[in-house]
Amino acid sequence: MSKKELNARLFELLNSGGKLSSKSAEFTLMCEISAKTRKLCAKMNKKWRSEEKIREFFAKITKEPKNESLRVFLPFYSDFGRNIHLGKNVFINGACHFQDQGGIYIGDNTLIGHACVLATLNHDLLPEHRGDLHMEAIKIGANVWIGSNAMILGGVSIGDGAVVAAGAVVSKDVPPMSIVAGVPAKLIKTIKEQK
């Protein structure tokens, strides 16, 4: 299999919501990409950067066109980078960690608070396969506000206009225009539009 075919196969596996064997060629390639991404993040985080320079780094990390409306406060960490997909006017506050192998999709005008973790991977529960990975995407809608130190787990969708309270651990879908809080996060309020 050529490198190009292997790369295509890797992304097919990552985006399938399936399992990736730690003994596979795709896993080895994922680790190579991860090393390059972590090196880019370390370089980006090393000193003060202008918004323009951060956007340039993000384009290298994600391999997507430069997002002119993106705002990120450093430091920022990703252990893969190539499966982050951002809408317009996204703001990511400092010390966030994106584990994006399974795919992270963030809608327009979304705010992500300090030190949030978005984790799309799980390890296999069987000890003999513990190194194997299970991937599930995180999908965050438009106009969402995620409070500081929240953790969003793989397989979760957060609806448009929702709020995730600081420190929440979100393991289930969040309806649009709702507020969730706690560990695990639970619905505490529905947001009503003011007339």
Side-chain angles (χ1 to χ4, degrees):
M1 187 180 303
S2 72
K3 187 85 167 188
K4 185 176 180 181
E5 291 169 325
L6 183 60
N7 191 64
R9 176 70 184 135
L10 170 63
F11 279 89
E12 188 179 299
L13 283 167
L14 294 178
N15 293 321
S16 72
K19 180 178 174 180
L20 181 61
S21 169
S22 61
K23 296 175 175 60
S24 67
E26 292 85 359
F27 186 92
T28 301
L29 177 59
M30 182 191 72
C31 291
E32 290 171 15
I33 293 169
S34 176
K36 290 176 185 174
T37 297
R38 287 180 287 116
K39 187 175 180 180
L40 278 169
C41 287
K43 187 175 180 183
M44 178 176 66
N45 293 330
K46 190 174 182 177
K47 63 181 184 177
W48 182 89
R49 304 278 181 189
S50 67
E51 287 184 6
E52 183 63 23
K53 197 66 176 166
I54 292 169
R55 291 180 189 123
E56 289 174 15
F57 269 103
F58 249 79
K60 289 177 187 174
I61 289 166
T62 62
K63 296 291 187 198
E64 290 196 346
K66 186 166 60 167
N67 184 333
E68 296 293 349
S69 62
L70 173 66
R71 292 182 58 230
V72 178
F73 286 1
L74 299 180
F76 172 83
Y77 305 96
S78 172
D79 63 357
F80 189 68
R82 306 268 179 93
N83 220 354
I84 298 171
H85 311 280
L86 304 173
K88 302 269 189 252
N89 301 311
V90 169
F91 173 67
I92 302 168
N93 218 323
C96 288
H97 295 254
F98 284 18
Q99 183 193 60
D100 61 287
Q101 285 89 336
I104 293 174
Y105 301 84
I106 301 175
D108 295 347
N109 306 309
T110 287
L111 310 172
I112 299 179
H114 286 95
C116 288
V117 174
L118 280 63
T120 66
L121 295 181
N122 272 315
H123 288 277
D124 202 276
L125 295 178
L126 295 173
E128 61 271 21
H129 296 286
R130 191 67 40 88
D132 294 350
L133 301 174
H134 297 267
M135 294 81 57
E136 290 184 279
I138 293 171
K139 297 177 181 172
I140 300 171
N143 302 300
V144 171
W145 175 22
I146 300 175
S148 296
N149 288 296
M151 180 177 288
I152 314 299
L153 302 180
V156 167
S157 291
I158 299 175
D160 292 347
V163 175
V164 174
V169 176
V170 184
S171 59
K172 295 185 177 166
D173 290 353
V174 176
M177 299 299 287
S178 63
I179 301 172
V180 298
V183 179
K186 292 185 171 45
L187 178 67
I188 61 168
K189 188 175 182 180
T190 299
I191 301 167
K192 306 273 191 226
E193 291 192 38
Q194 296 181 2
K195 295 181 182 185

